[in-house]
Amino acid sequence: MSLKQLIFPRSIAFVGGNECEIAIRRTMELGFAGKIHAIHPKREQLAGIATKRSVAEIGEPVDAAFVAVKREPTVEVVRELRDLGCGGAVIYAAGFAEAGDVALQNELIKAADGMRLMGPNCYGFVNVLANAALWPDEHGIKPVKKGVAIITQSGNIACNLTFTKRALPLAAVFTIGNQVDVDMAAMVAELADDERISAIGLHVEGLKDVAAFARACETARAAQKPVVVLKTGRSEQGAKVALSHTSSLAGADTLYDALFERLGVARMTSITAFVETLKFLHFGATGGGRLVSLSCSGGEAALAADLSVGRGVSFPPFDPVTKEKVSATLNEFVSIDNPLDYHTFIWNQEEKLTNTFTAVLSGGFDVGMLILDTPTQAHLNPAAWLKTARAFKVSALANNARAAVVATLPECLPLDLADDLVADGIAPMFGLDDALTAFEAAAKIGANWARTDKLPPVSSPKASVGEAKTLSEIEAKALLKSHGLSVPQGRECSIADAPGVAAEIGFPVTLKVSSAAIAHKTEAGGVKLNLTSKDEVAAAAHSMAHLSDKVLVERMVKGAVAELIIGVNRDPQFGLALVIGAGGVLTELLKDSSALLLPTSRAEIERAVKGLKVWTLIEGFRGKSGDREAVFRAIEAVAAFAAAAGPALDELDVNPLLVLPDGAVAVDALIRMRPIT
């Protein structure tokens, strides 16, 4: 059932007391032209609307309802609305599953019987595109014809976002509480096709259905509708709070990153960056990260350059033609570099500023930014700064350039100026650091949208429920080898037979204790490397006799230029996930890794591996390089095994994968499997 009736209503029923009176007033202030029904068993009117005693007295279907009664009677009100033919209801009351009362929440779902529910434990929404506010509080949203939509589980955060003085073109804010029915996925899918929505912002505490969310984001991507996420639960404390507050699973944070990367969703770690990025994306999401910066200060130019380090943006030099154009507008004391410090020689001279800015913005950069901190105190005169802003606006429009005016300090951008810039299609950015974050996000979204490789769809997790069993190393390697992973030549044998087996394989060899019960063999003294004679093997095998009566003898692999770890883990929300990183004994210390959801693709694997720091060693460092193709094939082999094992696979660990100049060999492997039921 579509959400359009609920979120774009033409008739609304408000059921309750004080909260409904406020919501009616908010809706009337927006100029709602449809029917408003007020329902209260005792009061004669709400916000000037004569009340009906019950839902049944409405006597005709309504598109939407705002239900603000106590939690127990909420269930019966929902049942009556469903019988009336209501399109959907916002459930304000708390005290359902988020407070441990799952039974009452189930009753609510049963009473709705397919009628769309937003909430419970939900503040409702303000949608100025529908002139409707099913919203029991203040809000600061101004009427717009086109703007961003924000969806959050938190009513307070939603309020705060409407109060901002950052010239954010906000068209709607929706709070969805417990997501008993209407969830993030449903909202994204519904809003993606609305041309009046320029970008979608999500404050996510947890997702009900990862696969459904992925499908919704694919819909948004197909509609060229950028999605920005502020995901809480990155810290252990944050995850616990998210879980208790919303009765939704926070999940593994690194896998959320993997999901967002795959879907082309920009993740923010601060609420100010969230707002600034949404604002910038309102003006379009495509493009790259080639920036040009204009300021009349060398300090500001250096600050912009420094803050760009480590981000997916850059300040490339001017091409010769553009450099000559810019140079012609300035004197010989100005160095024509990017970021450009145009000095104060042309300050307060609007025509000369326009000439310089026009020349700069003709260079075909992805984003042109003017750094301009304007005095905002009442006793100061901002006239010269406003001239600079006007010159930049004229220049940007003349070049049809994607442009932004950036204040290094958020309080140094007057709101009137910001509103004027928005009206002319120029992004007013409050804070240099957040602005660069927004530019980087736009570049990453644009790069994702430009990809031609098709990734497998994100699927719902499935797992066997039997007890997991750890395979022996030789069993694990045999399975992986059958799917194309290279492993050393080796044999399992008794302690007594180890010297003879080593001689047959050929020295040098590695000796390992053969026991599925010992996961970390090195720490247990169950690994001996580079054994070069039968006597050394005999002594090493004897030293392991207290651990097991069997050992694994393998040909020693030498000449590695890098070590990788390839792991597969199972997550209750995301299913199987592939982890690739720097391997060996320092894996946990280095924390150089990337996670991918399975199934994956060759192109996604390559992007992940090339993003690792250890890739520098593989690509070539101090005259040595690794077999890149062999690395990719090894990872594909592990992914292929995971796909074949499916629900039976619980955990897999290849560590290390030794990267050689002419190959990649898995010298250790651990697999835990569950029986198929």
Side-chain angles (χ1 to χ4, degrees):
M1 184 176 176
S2 172
L3 289 174
K4 281 189 171 56
Q5 276 184 280
L6 174 59
I7 65 177
F8 291 97
R10 290 173 293 181
S11 58
I12 310 171
F14 293 88
V15 187
N18 293 336
E19 291 83 4
C20 286
E21 184 162 43
I22 296 169
I24 291 171
R25 292 191 188 282
R26 297 291 90 85
T27 295
M28 293 171 68
E29 288 165 1
L30 290 175
F32 183 72
K35 285 186 178 181
I36 294 177
H37 304 277
I39 294 92
H40 194 280
K42 297 179 181 179
R43 293 175 62 166
E44 295 299 319
Q45 58 85 25
L46 291 173
I49 304 291
T51 59
K52 299 174 176 66
R53 293 292 172 257
S54 68
V55 169
E57 288 186 27
I58 296 174
E60 62 184 13
V62 292
D63 287 332
F66 182 75
V67 181
V69 299
K70 292 181 179 180
R71 66 190 190 110
E72 292 83 359
T74 293
V75 175
E76 183 56 35
V77 170
V78 165
R79 186 176 291 109
E80 292 172 352
L81 287 166
R82 184 228 30 220
D83 293 342
L84 188 70
C86 182
V90 170
I91 309 301
Y92 177 74
F96 291 85
E98 86 285 353
D101 200 337
V102 177
L104 186 62
Q105 184 156 299
N106 289 337
E107 285 185 44
L108 182 69
I109 297 168
K110 185 177 180 181
D113 192 27
M115 182 181 76
R116 304 312 302 262
L117 294 180
M118 187 176 289
N121 187 23
C122 167
Y123 231 50
F125 65 86
V126 181
N127 183 357
V128 298
L129 300 178
N131 298 321
L134 284 72
W135 185 261
D137 208 336
E138 300 290 338
H139 71 82
I141 305 181
K142 299 177 182 178
V144 295
K145 293 182 179 179
K146 183 176 183 178
V148 306
I150 294 176
I151 308 158
T152 173
Q153 291 171 258
S154 169
N156 210 51
I157 285 180
C159 282
N160 299 344
L161 289 167
T162 75
F163 299 156
T164 59
K165 291 185 176 181
R166 288 174 173 257
L168 175 68
L170 186 56
V173 59
F174 300 90
T175 68
I176 56 177
N178 287 11
Q179 304 186 80
V180 69
D181 171 36
V182 176
D183 62 0
M184 290 286 174
M187 288 300 303
V188 171
E190 191 69 54
L191 296 172
D193 292 328
D194 194 319
E195 293 182 355
R196 298 169 297 175
I197 302 296
S198 54
I200 300 172
L202 309 175
H203 164 234
V204 174
E205 295 173 9
L207 296 174
K208 275 177 56 179
D209 185 334
V210 170
F213 177 80
R215 290 192 297 270
C217 289
E218 290 291 354
T219 299
R221 185 180 187 274
Q224 301 285 276
K225 196 69 54 77
V227 178
V228 181
V229 168
L230 177 65
K231 169 69 177 69
T232 52
R234 296 173 68 226
S235 65
E236 184 178 349
Q237 284 182 315
K240 288 178 180 177
V241 171
L243 181 62
S244 62
H245 181 61
T246 65
S247 188
S248 55
L249 185 63
D253 194 66
T254 54
L255 299 186
Y256 274 104
D257 282 337
L259 177 70
F260 298 150
E261 164 63 24
R262 173 176 287 200
L263 299 174
V265 170
R267 180 174 184 174
M268 298 294 113
T269 57
S270 77
I271 198 162
T272 55
F274 178 70
V275 169
E276 294 303 308
T277 301
L278 279 172
K279 184 200 308 175
F280 185 66
L281 293 173
H282 170 75
F283 301 98
T286 56
R290 299 173 65 257
L291 312 181
V292 64
S293 173
L294 286 153
S295 69
C296 65
S297 161
E300 290 173 343
L303 183 62
D306 287 351
L307 287 176
S308 71
V309 174
R311 302 180 190 265
V313 295
S314 63
F315 292 97
F318 292 104
D319 64 73
V321 173
T322 305
K323 185 172 184 177
E324 186 175 346
K325 286 182 184 178
V326 176
S327 181
T329 70
L330 297 165
N331 63 34
E332 67 275 15
F333 301 110
V334 178
S335 177
I336 311 303
D337 297 316
N338 184 21
L340 177 65
D341 167 18
Y342 58 83
H343 293 228
T344 55
F345 300 117
I346 58 175
W347 182 252
N348 207 22
Q349 301 177 66
E350 193 166 341
E351 183 178 350
K352 290 185 177 182
L353 288 165
T354 302
N355 291 338
T356 296
F357 296 167
T358 300
V360 169
L361 295 180
S362 71
F365 297 95
D366 296 313
V367 181
M369 57 183 282
L370 171 68
I371 299 179
L372 187 69
D373 285 61
T374 302
T376 56
Q377 294 96 328
H379 67 285
L380 299 178
N381 182 6
W385 286 263
L386 296 180
K387 281 184 182 180
T388 307
R390 282 198 301 270
F392 184 71
K393 179 175 68 175
V394 169
S395 303
L397 294 174
N399 283 288
N400 194 28
R402 192 173 189 198
V405 172
V406 180
T408 62
L409 297 170
E411 60 270 25
C412 294
L413 182 50
L415 192 55
D416 288 346
L417 172 58
D419 287 337
D420 289 343
L421 292 168
V422 169
D424 287 311
I426 296 172
M429 306 299 289
F430 290 69
L432 179 56
D433 190 61
D434 286 340
L436 291 171
T437 297
F439 302 156
E440 179 185 32
K444 286 183 176 179
I445 291 172
N448 181 279
W449 288 2
R451 290 173 187 167
T452 56
D453 56 302
K454 188 172 178 60
L455 289 167
V458 176
S459 57
S460 299
K462 297 177 182 178
S464 296
V465 295
E467 185 177 351
K469 174 189 173 184
T470 303
L471 306 185
S472 70
E473 183 177 340
I474 197 164
E475 289 173 324
K477 285 179 173 175
L479 284 173
L480 292 168
K481 184 179 180 181
S482 70
H483 285 83
L485 185 67
S486 295
V487 299
Q489 180 187 354
R491 272 171 51 194
E492 186 182 63
C493 64
S494 66
I495 296 287
D497 290 340
V501 170
E504 292 177 19
I505 290 174
F507 296 104
V509 297
T510 296
L511 195 69
K512 300 180 184 180
V513 62
S514 186
S515 172
I518 303 175
H520 301 287
K521 300 181 180 69
T522 301
E523 289 84 344
V527 178
K528 300 294 181 182
L529 305 176
N530 202 29
L531 304 176
T532 59
S533 68
K534 293 175 71 173
D535 288 343
E536 288 184 3
V537 171
H542 180 72
S543 72
M544 299 177 190
H546 67 290
L547 298 173
S548 174
D549 59 354
K550 291 184 178 180
V551 290
L552 175 62
V553 184
E554 289 184 331
R555 182 182 292 276
M556 181 77 183
V557 179
K558 291 186 173 184
V561 299
E563 297 183 3
L564 293 178
I565 181 172
I566 310 171
V568 176
N569 294 316
R570 180 174 295 282
D571 181 85
Q573 269 192 297
F574 294 90
L576 292 177
L578 180 71
V579 179
I580 310 161
V585 296
L586 298 179
T587 294
E588 294 180 1
L589 178 64
L590 296 176
K591 294 182 179 179
D592 177 27
S593 65
S594 181
L596 301 175
L597 303 183
L598 291 174
T600 186
S601 70
R602 171 64 176 262
E604 191 176 40
I605 288 171
E606 289 194 18
R607 284 192 293 268
V609 177
K610 290 178 180 178
L612 298 174
K613 295 175 184 176
V614 73
W615 176 251
T616 302
L617 297 177
I618 299 170
E619 193 173 35
F621 184 73
R622 293 188 175 181
K624 295 182 179 180
S625 62
D627 189 334
R628 290 170 283 182
E629 181 63 26
V631 170
F632 300 140
R633 286 198 306 267
I635 298 169
E636 286 182 304
V638 173
F641 168 74
L649 180 58
D650 188 66
E651 183 182 0
L652 182 154
D653 195 42
V654 171
N655 185 25
L657 177 82
L658 296 184
V659 182
L660 309 173
D662 57 351
V665 182
V667 297
D668 197 4
L670 177 148
I671 294 177
R672 287 174 57 81
M673 302 283 285
R674 296 179 185 271
I676 297 293
T677 54

